[in-house]
Amino acid sequence: MQYQTIKGEKVPSLGLGTYRLTGDACEGAVERALGMGYRHVDTAQMYGNEAEVGRGIEDSGVERGEVFLTTKVWPSDFAHDRAISKTRESLKKLRTDYVDLLLMHWPPDGVPLGETLGAMRELQDEGGVLHIGVSNFSPSLLEEATEHAEILCNQVQYHPYRNQAALLAQAQEMDYLLTAYTPLSRGGVQGDAMLKEIGEAHGKTATQVALRWLVQQDKVSAIPKATGEEHLAENLDVFDFELSEEEMDRVFSLSR
Ligand SMILES: NC(=O)c1ccc[n+]([C@@H]2O[C@H](COP(=O)([O-])OP(=O)(O)OC[C@H]3O[C@@H](n4cnc5c(N)ncnc54)[C@H](OP(=O)(O)O)[C@@H]3O)[C@@H](O)[C@H]2O)c1
């Protein structure tokens, strides 16, 4: 596993996404992934699968302290007391005393940004949350958020067809983690001719090239969702090759 260092914190560059994973499939995928070497799991209160994620972590036998675990508060729960009670519920479901990262799932709509981030800071003071972050925030809103809390991460849609140059530059300048969600464009990168061609030179698939391109960028992590052993293994196997500067630029050109 490779790590990004953000504000002195080491975060595994690759994590497991769990949106739309529920029930036994979710519990099994989390357990399997951790058994294979994944050390970063992404869930959210809205996904309705925190209990399964918690059981999967427990079943894996991997020490809680070795796993970087993220959950997110949904906008309808952004009011101070709701954010606190929903996150305490998350900890119970996840069978843990803390999450490594708690995110505001989307920008606020009504509740002042400082109210939600203030509640998240209280959870941090209690020890139930190690780091605070946001998701789907623009550069200007991210900047505003830093007036209320230290922001470790902004999780946004990022893959070869999605240009995130402004956020990437900001993440590198301000030292925050840019976590790429939907990094496979929901499986859409699999058949890409250019990614396939680049992959052939390294004995890798188009999917692996897309993930390697992400995790090779400073301050970027990726959280592909996968269910079965084959996809989980393919996605994890991106740390034994490197894309040249020219190959990186070719992938960047897909979004221009
Ligand atoms: N913050 C937000 O607002 C937000 C929004 C969307 C997503 N997310 C997070 O980001 C995670 C990932 O995004 P996503 O689930 O939207 O999309 P994704 O990771 O880009 O794609 C997932 C799809 O790709 C398939 N897949 C996985 N590995 C593959 C491989 N090696 N080859 C071919 N297909 C493969 C999966 O199938 P199988 O399941 O069958 O393996 C699944 O259908 C989510 O699960 C969630 O944790 C966050």
Side-chain angles (χ1 to χ4, degrees), residues 17-19 42 47 135-136 155 181-184 186 223-227 231 234-235:
T18 66
Y19 184 38
D42 181 82
Y47 300 170
S135 180
N136 299 299
Q155 183 180 124
Y181 77 64
T182 317
L184 308 179
R186 298 236 157 94
I223 47 167
K225 175 249 179 191
T227 313
H231 285 169
E234 180 177 346
N235 299 349

mmCIF file with all atom_site columns, all heavy atoms in Angstrom, residues 17-19 42 47 135-136 155 181-184 186 223-227 231 234-235, ligand 1:
data_model
loop_
_atom_site.group_PDB
_atom_site.id
_atom_site.type_symbol
_atom_site.label_atom_id
_atom_site.label_alt_id
_atom_site.label_comp_id
_atom_site.label_asym_id
_atom_site.label_entity_id
_atom_site.label_seq_id
_atom_site.pdbx_PDB_ins_code
_atom_site.Cartn_x
_atom_site.Cartn_y
_atom_site.Cartn_z
_atom_site.occupancy
_atom_site.B_iso_or_equiv
_atom_site.pdbx_formal_charge
_atom_site.auth_seq_id
_atom_site.auth_comp_id
_atom_site.auth_asym_id
_atom_site.auth_atom_id
_atom_site.pdbx_PDB_model_num
ATOM   1   N N   . GLY A 1 17  ? -14.587 1.928  -1.875  1.00 0.00 ? 17  GLY A N   1
ATOM   2   C CA  . GLY A 1 17  ? -15.867 2.632  -1.863  1.00 0.00 ? 17  GLY A CA  1
ATOM   3   C C   . GLY A 1 17  ? -16.975 1.638  -1.581  1.00 0.00 ? 17  GLY A C   1
ATOM   4   O O   . GLY A 1 17  ? -16.885 0.468  -1.977  1.00 0.00 ? 17  GLY A O   1
ATOM   5   N N   . THR A 1 18  ? -18.048 2.077  -0.907  1.00 0.00 ? 18  THR A N   1
ATOM   6   C CA  . THR A 1 18  ? -19.120 1.119  -0.557  1.00 0.00 ? 18  THR A CA  1
ATOM   7   C C   . THR A 1 18  ? -20.517 1.610  -0.926  1.00 0.00 ? 18  THR A C   1
ATOM   8   O O   . THR A 1 18  ? -21.500 1.024  -0.467  1.00 0.00 ? 18  THR A O   1
ATOM   9   C CB  . THR A 1 18  ? -19.099 0.793  0.960   1.00 0.00 ? 18  THR A CB  1
ATOM   10  O OG1 . THR A 1 18  ? -19.435 1.976  1.692   1.00 0.00 ? 18  THR A OG1 1
ATOM   11  C CG2 . THR A 1 18  ? -17.757 0.262  1.410   1.00 0.00 ? 18  THR A CG2 1
ATOM   12  N N   . TYR A 1 19  ? -20.611 2.646  -1.776  1.00 0.00 ? 19  TYR A N   1
ATOM   13  C CA  . TYR A 1 19  ? -21.943 3.121  -2.166  1.00 0.00 ? 19  TYR A CA  1
ATOM   14  C C   . TYR A 1 19  ? -22.665 2.022  -2.946  1.00 0.00 ? 19  TYR A C   1
ATOM   15  O O   . TYR A 1 19  ? -22.090 1.426  -3.854  1.00 0.00 ? 19  TYR A O   1
ATOM   16  C CB  . TYR A 1 19  ? -21.804 4.389  -3.001  1.00 0.00 ? 19  TYR A CB  1
ATOM   17  C CG  . TYR A 1 19  ? -23.116 5.037  -3.394  1.00 0.00 ? 19  TYR A CG  1
ATOM   18  C CD1 . TYR A 1 19  ? -24.196 5.081  -2.515  1.00 0.00 ? 19  TYR A CD1 1
ATOM   19  C CD2 . TYR A 1 19  ? -23.269 5.615  -4.644  1.00 0.00 ? 19  TYR A CD2 1
ATOM   20  C CE1 . TYR A 1 19  ? -25.390 5.670  -2.876  1.00 0.00 ? 19  TYR A CE1 1
ATOM   21  C CE2 . TYR A 1 19  ? -24.462 6.226  -5.020  1.00 0.00 ? 19  TYR A CE2 1
ATOM   22  C CZ  . TYR A 1 19  ? -25.525 6.241  -4.130  1.00 0.00 ? 19  TYR A CZ  1
ATOM   23  O OH  . TYR A 1 19  ? -26.710 6.838  -4.495  1.00 0.00 ? 19  TYR A OH  1
ATOM   24  N N   . ASP A 1 42  ? -14.480 3.602  2.755   1.00 0.00 ? 42  ASP A N   1
ATOM   25  C CA  . ASP A 1 42  ? -15.327 4.790  2.664   1.00 0.00 ? 42  ASP A CA  1
ATOM   26  C C   . ASP A 1 42  ? -16.799 4.404  2.751   1.00 0.00 ? 42  ASP A C   1
ATOM   27  O O   . ASP A 1 42  ? -17.292 3.623  1.949   1.00 0.00 ? 42  ASP A O   1
ATOM   28  C CB  . ASP A 1 42  ? -15.079 5.482  1.312   1.00 0.00 ? 42  ASP A CB  1
ATOM   29  C CG  . ASP A 1 42  ? -15.917 6.740  1.161   1.00 0.00 ? 42  ASP A CG  1
ATOM   30  O OD1 . ASP A 1 42  ? -15.501 7.790  1.686   1.00 0.00 ? 42  ASP A OD1 1
ATOM   31  O OD2 . ASP A 1 42  ? -17.011 6.686  0.548   1.00 0.00 ? 42  ASP A OD2 1
ATOM   32  N N   . TYR A 1 47  ? -25.587 5.879  2.991   1.00 0.00 ? 47  TYR A N   1
ATOM   33  C CA  . TYR A 1 47  ? -25.501 4.597  2.288   1.00 0.00 ? 47  TYR A CA  1
ATOM   34  C C   . TYR A 1 47  ? -26.289 3.488  2.999   1.00 0.00 ? 47  TYR A C   1
ATOM   35  O O   . TYR A 1 47  ? -26.544 2.436  2.409   1.00 0.00 ? 47  TYR A O   1
ATOM   36  C CB  . TYR A 1 47  ? -24.047 4.130  2.114   1.00 0.00 ? 47  TYR A CB  1
ATOM   37  C CG  . TYR A 1 47  ? -23.146 5.066  1.328   1.00 0.00 ? 47  TYR A CG  1
ATOM   38  C CD1 . TYR A 1 47  ? -21.772 4.865  1.283   1.00 0.00 ? 47  TYR A CD1 1
ATOM   39  C CD2 . TYR A 1 47  ? -23.658 6.150  0.620   1.00 0.00 ? 47  TYR A CD2 1
ATOM   40  C CE1 . TYR A 1 47  ? -20.935 5.716  0.577   1.00 0.00 ? 47  TYR A CE1 1
ATOM   41  C CE2 . TYR A 1 47  ? -22.829 7.005  -0.081  1.00 0.00 ? 47  TYR A CE2 1
ATOM   42  C CZ  . TYR A 1 47  ? -21.470 6.788  -0.100  1.00 0.00 ? 47  TYR A CZ  1
ATOM   43  O OH  . TYR A 1 47  ? -20.637 7.626  -0.789  1.00 0.00 ? 47  TYR A OH  1
ATOM   44  N N   . SER A 1 135 ? -17.060 17.255 1.227   1.00 0.00 ? 135 SER A N   1
ATOM   45  C CA  . SER A 1 135 ? -17.197 16.537 -0.033  1.00 0.00 ? 135 SER A CA  1
ATOM   46  C C   . SER A 1 135 ? -18.009 17.395 -0.998  1.00 0.00 ? 135 SER A C   1
ATOM   47  O O   . SER A 1 135 ? -18.952 18.072 -0.581  1.00 0.00 ? 135 SER A O   1
ATOM   48  C CB  . SER A 1 135 ? -17.898 15.195 0.217   1.00 0.00 ? 135 SER A CB  1
ATOM   49  O OG  . SER A 1 135 ? -18.048 14.482 -0.983  1.00 0.00 ? 135 SER A OG  1
ATOM   50  N N   . ASN A 1 136 ? -17.622 17.352 -2.252  1.00 0.00 ? 136 ASN A N   1
ATOM   51  C CA  . ASN A 1 136 ? -18.319 18.107 -3.306  1.00 0.00 ? 136 ASN A CA  1
ATOM   52  C C   . ASN A 1 136 ? -18.239 19.615 -3.073  1.00 0.00 ? 136 ASN A C   1
ATOM   53  O O   . ASN A 1 136 ? -19.175 20.341 -3.422  1.00 0.00 ? 136 ASN A O   1
ATOM   54  C CB  . ASN A 1 136 ? -19.776 17.637 -3.404  1.00 0.00 ? 136 ASN A CB  1
ATOM   55  C CG  . ASN A 1 136 ? -19.893 16.171 -3.762  1.00 0.00 ? 136 ASN A CG  1
ATOM   56  O OD1 . ASN A 1 136 ? -19.443 15.758 -4.822  1.00 0.00 ? 136 ASN A OD1 1
ATOM   57  N ND2 . ASN A 1 136 ? -20.468 15.363 -2.875  1.00 0.00 ? 136 ASN A ND2 1
ATOM   58  N N   . GLN A 1 155 ? -13.629 15.346 -0.812  1.00 0.00 ? 155 GLN A N   1
ATOM   59  C CA  . GLN A 1 155 ? -13.901 14.170 -1.648  1.00 0.00 ? 155 GLN A CA  1
ATOM   60  C C   . GLN A 1 155 ? -14.788 14.600 -2.809  1.00 0.00 ? 155 GLN A C   1
ATOM   61  O O   . GLN A 1 155 ? -15.892 15.095 -2.579  1.00 0.00 ? 155 GLN A O   1
ATOM   62  C CB  . GLN A 1 155 ? -14.584 13.083 -0.804  1.00 0.00 ? 155 GLN A CB  1
ATOM   63  C CG  . GLN A 1 155 ? -14.811 11.814 -1.599  1.00 0.00 ? 155 GLN A CG  1
ATOM   64  C CD  . GLN A 1 155 ? -15.498 10.692 -0.813  1.00 0.00 ? 155 GLN A CD  1
ATOM   65  O OE1 . GLN A 1 155 ? -16.534 10.192 -1.239  1.00 0.00 ? 155 GLN A OE1 1
ATOM   66  N NE2 . GLN A 1 155 ? -14.925 10.283 0.298   1.00 0.00 ? 155 GLN A NE2 1
ATOM   67  N N   . TYR A 1 181 ? -13.754 10.212 -5.910  1.00 0.00 ? 181 TYR A N   1
ATOM   68  C CA  . TYR A 1 181 ? -14.843 9.228  -5.943  1.00 0.00 ? 181 TYR A CA  1
ATOM   69  C C   . TYR A 1 181 ? -15.264 8.974  -7.378  1.00 0.00 ? 181 TYR A C   1
ATOM   70  O O   . TYR A 1 181 ? -14.935 9.751  -8.276  1.00 0.00 ? 181 TYR A O   1
ATOM   71  C CB  . TYR A 1 181 ? -15.998 9.630  -5.018  1.00 0.00 ? 181 TYR A CB  1
ATOM   72  C CG  . TYR A 1 181 ? -16.982 10.709 -5.435  1.00 0.00 ? 181 TYR A CG  1
ATOM   73  C CD1 . TYR A 1 181 ? -17.833 10.561 -6.532  1.00 0.00 ? 181 TYR A CD1 1
ATOM   74  C CD2 . TYR A 1 181 ? -17.117 11.855 -4.668  1.00 0.00 ? 181 TYR A CD2 1
ATOM   75  C CE1 . TYR A 1 181 ? -18.765 11.527 -6.866  1.00 0.00 ? 181 TYR A CE1 1
ATOM   76  C CE2 . TYR A 1 181 ? -18.055 12.841 -4.990  1.00 0.00 ? 181 TYR A CE2 1
ATOM   77  C CZ  . TYR A 1 181 ? -18.873 12.670 -6.094  1.00 0.00 ? 181 TYR A CZ  1
ATOM   78  O OH  . TYR A 1 181 ? -19.796 13.634 -6.417  1.00 0.00 ? 181 TYR A OH  1
ATOM   79  N N   . THR A 1 182 ? -15.971 7.843  -7.587  1.00 0.00 ? 182 THR A N   1
ATOM   80  C CA  . THR A 1 182 ? -16.287 7.373  -8.942  1.00 0.00 ? 182 THR A CA  1
ATOM   81  C C   . THR A 1 182 ? -15.011 7.371  -9.803  1.00 0.00 ? 182 THR A C   1
ATOM   82  O O   . THR A 1 182 ? -15.029 7.852  -10.943 1.00 0.00 ? 182 THR A O   1
ATOM   83  C CB  . THR A 1 182 ? -17.426 8.210  -9.587  1.00 0.00 ? 182 THR A CB  1
ATOM   84  O OG1 . THR A 1 182 ? -18.442 8.428  -8.607  1.00 0.00 ? 182 THR A OG1 1
ATOM   85  C CG2 . THR A 1 182 ? -18.092 7.507  -10.739 1.00 0.00 ? 182 THR A CG2 1
ATOM   86  N N   . PRO A 1 183 ? -13.895 6.841  -9.263  1.00 0.00 ? 183 PRO A N   1
ATOM   87  C CA  . PRO A 1 183 ? -12.611 6.931  -9.979  1.00 0.00 ? 183 PRO A CA  1
ATOM   88  C C   . PRO A 1 183 ? -12.575 6.109  -11.255 1.00 0.00 ? 183 PRO A C   1
ATOM   89  O O   . PRO A 1 183 ? -11.745 6.351  -12.126 1.00 0.00 ? 183 PRO A O   1
ATOM   90  C CB  . PRO A 1 183 ? -11.602 6.385  -8.956  1.00 0.00 ? 183 PRO A CB  1
ATOM   91  C CG  . PRO A 1 183 ? -12.407 5.462  -8.099  1.00 0.00 ? 183 PRO A CG  1
ATOM   92  C CD  . PRO A 1 183 ? -13.754 6.113  -7.974  1.00 0.00 ? 183 PRO A CD  1
ATOM   93  N N   . LEU A 1 184 ? -13.516 5.127  -11.373 1.00 0.00 ? 184 LEU A N   1
ATOM   94  C CA  . LEU A 1 184 ? -13.553 4.285  -12.575 1.00 0.00 ? 184 LEU A CA  1
ATOM   95  C C   . LEU A 1 184 ? -14.638 4.767  -13.531 1.00 0.00 ? 184 LEU A C   1
ATOM   96  O O   . LEU A 1 184 ? -14.955 4.075  -14.494 1.00 0.00 ? 184 LEU A O   1
ATOM   97  C CB  . LEU A 1 184 ? -13.828 2.823  -12.181 1.00 0.00 ? 184 LEU A CB  1
ATOM   98  C CG  . LEU A 1 184 ? -12.918 2.243  -11.102 1.00 0.00 ? 184 LEU A CG  1
ATOM   99  C CD1 . LEU A 1 184 ? -13.309 0.800  -10.789 1.00 0.00 ? 184 LEU A CD1 1
ATOM   100 C CD2 . LEU A 1 184 ? -11.461 2.323  -11.535 1.00 0.00 ? 184 LEU A CD2 1
ATOM   101 N N   . ARG A 1 186 ? -17.612 4.710  -12.904 1.00 0.00 ? 186 ARG A N   1
ATOM   102 C CA  . ARG A 1 186 ? -18.565 3.587  -12.735 1.00 0.00 ? 186 ARG A CA  1
ATOM   103 C C   . ARG A 1 186 ? -18.305 2.463  -13.719 1.00 0.00 ? 186 ARG A C   1
ATOM   104 O O   . ARG A 1 186 ? -19.226 1.885  -14.294 1.00 0.00 ? 186 ARG A O   1
ATOM   105 C CB  . ARG A 1 186 ? -20.017 4.076  -12.891 1.00 0.00 ? 186 ARG A CB  1
ATOM   106 C CG  . ARG A 1 186 ? -20.430 5.110  -11.857 1.00 0.00 ? 186 ARG A CG  1
ATOM   107 C CD  . ARG A 1 186 ? -21.657 4.691  -11.068 1.00 0.00 ? 186 ARG A CD  1
ATOM   108 N NE  . ARG A 1 186 ? -21.719 5.373  -9.783  1.00 0.00 ? 186 ARG A NE  1
ATOM   109 C CZ  . ARG A 1 186 ? -22.395 6.514  -9.552  1.00 0.00 ? 186 ARG A CZ  1
ATOM   110 N NH1 . ARG A 1 186 ? -23.082 7.096  -10.514 1.00 0.00 ? 186 ARG A NH1 1
ATOM   111 N NH2 . ARG A 1 186 ? -22.394 7.050  -8.344  1.00 0.00 ? 186 ARG A NH2 1
ATOM   112 N N   . ILE A 1 223 ? -11.022 5.878  -4.276  1.00 0.00 ? 223 ILE A N   1
ATOM   113 C CA  . ILE A 1 223 ? -11.830 4.902  -3.521  1.00 0.00 ? 223 ILE A CA  1
ATOM   114 C C   . ILE A 1 223 ? -12.769 4.126  -4.451  1.00 0.00 ? 223 ILE A C   1
ATOM   115 O O   . ILE A 1 223 ? -13.991 4.221  -4.339  1.00 0.00 ? 223 ILE A O   1
ATOM   116 C CB  . ILE A 1 223 ? -12.622 5.599  -2.394  1.00 0.00 ? 223 ILE A CB  1
ATOM   117 C CG1 . ILE A 1 223 ? -13.329 6.883  -2.897  1.00 0.00 ? 223 ILE A CG1 1
ATOM   118 C CG2 . ILE A 1 223 ? -11.714 5.957  -1.225  1.00 0.00 ? 223 ILE A CG2 1
ATOM   119 C CD1 . ILE A 1 223 ? -14.377 7.426  -1.915  1.00 0.00 ? 223 ILE A CD1 1
ATOM   120 N N   . PRO A 1 224 ? -12.196 3.311  -5.377  1.00 0.00 ? 224 PRO A N   1
ATOM   121 C CA  . PRO A 1 224 ? -13.071 2.515  -6.250  1.00 0.00 ? 224 PRO A CA  1
ATOM   122 C C   . PRO A 1 224 ? -13.932 1.554  -5.441  1.00 0.00 ? 224 PRO A C   1
ATOM   123 O O   . PRO A 1 224 ? -13.469 0.977  -4.462  1.00 0.00 ? 224 PRO A O   1
ATOM   124 C CB  . PRO A 1 224 ? -12.066 1.733  -7.112  1.00 0.00 ? 224 PRO A CB  1
ATOM   125 C CG  . PRO A 1 224 ? -10.816 1.665  -6.284  1.00 0.00 ? 224 PRO A CG  1
ATOM   126 C CD  . PRO A 1 224 ? -10.776 2.968  -5.534  1.00 0.00 ? 224 PRO A CD  1
ATOM   127 N N   . LYS A 1 225 ? -15.180 1.416  -5.887  1.00 0.00 ? 225 LYS A N   1
ATOM   128 C CA  . LYS A 1 225 ? -16.078 0.429  -5.272  1.00 0.00 ? 225 LYS A CA  1
ATOM   129 C C   . LYS A 1 225 ? -15.963 -0.861 -6.079  1.00 0.00 ? 225 LYS A C   1
ATOM   130 O O   . LYS A 1 225 ? -15.995 -0.834 -7.313  1.00 0.00 ? 225 LYS A O   1
ATOM   131 C CB  . LYS A 1 225 ? -17.518 0.938  -5.317  1.00 0.00 ? 225 LYS A CB  1
ATOM   132 C CG  . LYS A 1 225 ? -18.545 -0.066 -4.813  1.00 0.00 ? 225 LYS A CG  1
ATOM   133 C CD  . LYS A 1 225 ? -19.410 -0.560 -5.933  1.00 0.00 ? 225 LYS A CD  1
ATOM   134 C CE  . LYS A 1 225 ? -20.436 -1.583 -5.486  1.00 0.00 ? 225 LYS A CE  1
ATOM   135 N NZ  . LYS A 1 225 ? -21.079 -2.214 -6.651  1.00 0.00 ? 225 LYS A NZ  1
ATOM   136 N N   . ALA A 1 226 ? -15.813 -1.981 -5.404  1.00 0.00 ? 226 ALA A N   1
ATOM   137 C CA  . ALA A 1 226 ? -15.779 -3.270 -6.086  1.00 0.00 ? 226 ALA A CA  1
ATOM   138 C C   . ALA A 1 226 ? -16.362 -4.315 -5.155  1.00 0.00 ? 226 ALA A C   1
ATOM   139 O O   . ALA A 1 226 ? -16.285 -4.182 -3.933  1.00 0.00 ? 226 ALA A O   1
ATOM   140 C CB  . ALA A 1 226 ? -14.347 -3.643 -6.473  1.00 0.00 ? 226 ALA A CB  1
ATOM   141 N N   . THR A 1 227 ? -16.924 -5.353 -5.732  1.00 0.00 ? 227 THR A N   1
ATOM   142 C CA  . THR A 1 227 ? -17.623 -6.348 -4.926  1.00 0.00 ? 227 THR A CA  1
ATOM   143 C C   . THR A 1 227 ? -16.843 -7.664 -4.851  1.00 0.00 ? 227 THR A C   1
ATOM   144 O O   . THR A 1 227 ? -16.526 -8.143 -3.773  1.00 0.00 ? 227 THR A O   1
ATOM   145 C CB  . THR A 1 227 ? -19.022 -6.597 -5.514  1.00 0.00 ? 227 THR A CB  1
ATOM   146 O OG1 . THR A 1 227 ? -19.638 -5.330 -5.777  1.00 0.00 ? 227 THR A OG1 1
ATOM   147 C CG2 . THR A 1 227 ? -19.899 -7.358 -4.536  1.00 0.00 ? 227 THR A CG2 1
ATOM   148 N N   . HIS A 1 231 ? -12.275 -7.948 -9.145  1.00 0.00 ? 231 HIS A N   1
ATOM   149 C CA  . HIS A 1 231 ? -12.195 -6.485 -9.236  1.00 0.00 ? 231 HIS A CA  1
ATOM   150 C C   . HIS A 1 231 ? -11.395 -5.896 -8.078  1.00 0.00 ? 231 HIS A C   1
ATOM   151 O O   . HIS A 1 231 ? -10.593 -4.991 -8.262  1.00 0.00 ? 231 HIS A O   1
ATOM   152 C CB  . HIS A 1 231 ? -13.602 -5.863 -9.247  1.00 0.00 ? 231 HIS A CB  1
ATOM   153 C CG  . HIS A 1 231 ? -14.318 -6.019 -10.557 1.00 0.00 ? 231 HIS A CG  1
ATOM   154 N ND1 . HIS A 1 231 ? -15.658 -5.730 -10.713 1.00 0.00 ? 231 HIS A ND1 1
ATOM   155 C CD2 . HIS A 1 231 ? -13.876 -6.430 -11.777 1.00 0.00 ? 231 HIS A CD2 1
ATOM   156 C CE1 . HIS A 1 231 ? -16.009 -5.944 -11.968 1.00 0.00 ? 231 HIS A CE1 1
ATOM   157 N NE2 . HIS A 1 231 ? -14.962 -6.387 -12.634 1.00 0.00 ? 231 HIS A NE2 1
ATOM   158 N N   . GLU A 1 234 ? -7.733  -6.535 -8.832  1.00 0.00 ? 234 GLU A N   1
ATOM   159 C CA  . GLU A 1 234 ? -7.252  -5.722 -9.958  1.00 0.00 ? 234 GLU A CA  1
ATOM   160 C C   . GLU A 1 234 ? -7.030  -4.275 -9.516  1.00 0.00 ? 234 GLU A C   1
ATOM   161 O O   . GLU A 1 234 ? -6.011  -3.662 -9.841  1.00 0.00 ? 234 GLU A O   1
ATOM   162 C CB  . GLU A 1 234 ? -8.294  -5.781 -11.095 1.00 0.00 ? 234 GLU A CB  1
ATOM   163 C CG  . GLU A 1 234 ? -7.909  -4.984 -12.327 1.00 0.00 ? 234 GLU A CG  1
ATOM   164 C CD  . GLU A 1 234 ? -8.930  -5.113 -13.460 1.00 0.00 ? 234 GLU A CD  1
ATOM   165 O OE1 . GLU A 1 234 ? -9.807  -6.009 -13.407 1.00 0.00 ? 234 GLU A OE1 1
ATOM   166 O OE2 . GLU A 1 234 ? -8.841  -4.295 -14.397 1.00 0.00 ? 234 GLU A OE2 1
ATOM   167 N N   . ASN A 1 235 ? -7.949  -3.750 -8.735  1.00 0.00 ? 235 ASN A N   1
ATOM   168 C CA  . ASN A 1 235 ? -7.861  -2.344 -8.333  1.00 0.00 ? 235 ASN A CA  1
ATOM   169 C C   . ASN A 1 235 ? -6.726  -2.082 -7.352  1.00 0.00 ? 235 ASN A C   1
ATOM   170 O O   . ASN A 1 235 ? -6.176  -0.980 -7.308  1.00 0.00 ? 235 ASN A O   1
ATOM   171 C CB  . ASN A 1 235 ? -9.196  -1.887 -7.735  1.00 0.00 ? 235 ASN A CB  1
ATOM   172 C CG  . ASN A 1 235 ? -10.333 -1.991 -8.735  1.00 0.00 ? 235 ASN A CG  1
ATOM   173 O OD1 . ASN A 1 235 ? -10.096 -2.206 -9.933  1.00 0.00 ? 235 ASN A OD1 1
ATOM   174 N ND2 . ASN A 1 235 ? -11.561 -1.862 -8.278  1.00 0.00 ? 235 ASN A ND2 1
HETATM 175 N N1  . LIG B 2 .   ? -18.970 11.865 -1.739  1.00 0.00 ? 1   LIG B N1  1
HETATM 176 C C1  . LIG B 2 .   ? -19.867 11.596 -2.668  1.00 0.00 ? 1   LIG B C1  1
HETATM 177 O O1  . LIG B 2 .   ? -20.766 12.386 -2.956  1.00 0.00 ? 1   LIG B O1  1
HETATM 178 C C2  . LIG B 2 .   ? -19.759 10.293 -3.415  1.00 0.00 ? 1   LIG B C2  1
HETATM 179 C C3  . LIG B 2 .   ? -20.511 10.094 -4.582  1.00 0.00 ? 1   LIG B C3  1
HETATM 180 C C4  . LIG B 2 .   ? -20.372 8.891  -5.278  1.00 0.00 ? 1   LIG B C4  1
HETATM 181 C C5  . LIG B 2 .   ? -19.496 7.926  -4.788  1.00 0.00 ? 1   LIG B C5  1
HETATM 182 N N2  . LIG B 2 .   ? -18.792 8.123  -3.624  1.00 0.00 ? 1   LIG B N2  1
HETATM 183 C C6  . LIG B 2 .   ? -17.853 7.087  -3.078  1.00 0.00 ? 1   LIG B C6  1
HETATM 184 O O2  . LIG B 2 .   ? -16.962 6.682  -4.093  1.00 0.00 ? 1   LIG B O2  1
HETATM 185 C C7  . LIG B 2 .   ? -17.045 5.274  -4.262  1.00 0.00 ? 1   LIG B C7  1
HETATM 186 C C8  . LIG B 2 .   ? -16.715 4.866  -5.688  1.00 0.00 ? 1   LIG B C8  1
HETATM 187 O O3  . LIG B 2 .   ? -17.591 5.472  -6.608  1.00 0.00 ? 1   LIG B O3  1
HETATM 188 P P1  . LIG B 2 .   ? -18.735 4.690  -7.396  1.00 0.00 ? 1   LIG B P1  1
HETATM 189 O O4  . LIG B 2 .   ? -19.159 3.507  -6.619  1.00 0.00 ? 1   LIG B O4  1
HETATM 190 O O5  . LIG B 2 .   ? -19.729 5.710  -7.757  1.00 0.00 ? 1   LIG B O5  1
HETATM 191 O O6  . LIG B 2 .   ? -18.047 4.272  -8.782  1.00 0.00 ? 1   LIG B O6  1
HETATM 192 P P2  . LIG B 2 .   ? -16.694 3.547  -9.264  1.00 0.00 ? 1   LIG B P2  1
HETATM 193 O O7  . LIG B 2 .   ? -15.864 3.133  -8.112  1.00 0.00 ? 1   LIG B O7  1
HETATM 194 O O8  . LIG B 2 .   ? -16.074 4.432  -10.285 1.00 0.00 ? 1   LIG B O8  1
HETATM 195 O O9  . LIG B 2 .   ? -17.260 2.291  -10.030 1.00 0.00 ? 1   LIG B O9  1
HETATM 196 C C9  . LIG B 2 .   ? -17.868 1.215  -9.386  1.00 0.00 ? 1   LIG B C9  1
HETATM 197 C C10 . LIG B 2 .   ? -18.328 0.240  -10.474 1.00 0.00 ? 1   LIG B C10 1
HETATM 198 O O10 . LIG B 2 .   ? -17.192 -0.243 -11.189 1.00 0.00 ? 1   LIG B O10 1
HETATM 199 C C11 . LIG B 2 .   ? -17.169 -1.658 -11.121 1.00 0.00 ? 1   LIG B C11 1
HETATM 200 N N3  . LIG B 2 .   ? -15.758 -2.089 -11.022 1.00 0.00 ? 1   LIG B N3  1
HETATM 201 C C12 . LIG B 2 .   ? -14.980 -2.078 -9.918  1.00 0.00 ? 1   LIG B C12 1
HETATM 202 N N4  . LIG B 2 .   ? -13.743 -2.528 -10.197 1.00 0.00 ? 1   LIG B N4  1
HETATM 203 C C13 . LIG B 2 .   ? -13.743 -2.842 -11.501 1.00 0.00 ? 1   LIG B C13 1
HETATM 204 C C14 . LIG B 2 .   ? -12.775 -3.379 -12.374 1.00 0.00 ? 1   LIG B C14 1
HETATM 205 N N5  . LIG B 2 .   ? -11.546 -3.652 -11.930 1.00 0.00 ? 1   LIG B N5  1
HETATM 206 N N6  . LIG B 2 .   ? -13.107 -3.581 -13.678 1.00 0.00 ? 1   LIG B N6  1
HETATM 207 C C15 . LIG B 2 .   ? -14.347 -3.295 -14.133 1.00 0.00 ? 1   LIG B C15 1
HETATM 208 N N7  . LIG B 2 .   ? -15.331 -2.784 -13.345 1.00 0.00 ? 1   LIG B N7  1
HETATM 209 C C16 . LIG B 2 .   ? -15.027 -2.569 -12.048 1.00 0.00 ? 1   LIG B C16 1
HETATM 210 C C17 . LIG B 2 .   ? -17.963 -2.048 -9.905  1.00 0.00 ? 1   LIG B C17 1
HETATM 211 O O11 . LIG B 2 .   ? -18.512 -3.331 -10.082 1.00 0.00 ? 1   LIG B O11 1
HETATM 212 P P3  . LIG B 2 .   ? -18.563 -4.446 -8.914  1.00 0.00 ? 1   LIG B P3  1
HETATM 213 O O12 . LIG B 2 .   ? -19.158 -3.803 -7.699  1.00 0.00 ? 1   LIG B O12 1
HETATM 214 O O13 . LIG B 2 .   ? -19.384 -5.521 -9.508  1.00 0.00 ? 1   LIG B O13 1
HETATM 215 O O14 . LIG B 2 .   ? -17.139 -4.891 -8.633  1.00 0.00 ? 1   LIG B O14 1
HETATM 216 C C18 . LIG B 2 .   ? -19.033 -0.964 -9.903  1.00 0.00 ? 1   LIG B C18 1
HETATM 217 O O15 . LIG B 2 .   ? -20.081 -1.288 -10.790 1.00 0.00 ? 1   LIG B O15 1
HETATM 218 C C19 . LIG B 2 .   ? -18.485 4.973  -3.821  1.00 0.00 ? 1   LIG B C19 1
HETATM 219 O O16 . LIG B 2 .   ? -18.695 3.597  -3.603  1.00 0.00 ? 1   LIG B O16 1
HETATM 220 C C20 . LIG B 2 .   ? -18.591 5.829  -2.597  1.00 0.00 ? 1   LIG B C20 1
HETATM 221 O O17 . LIG B 2 .   ? -17.908 5.223  -1.503  1.00 0.00 ? 1   LIG B O17 1
HETATM 222 C C21 . LIG B 2 .   ? -18.905 9.308  -2.950  1.00 0.00 ? 1   LIG B C21 1
#
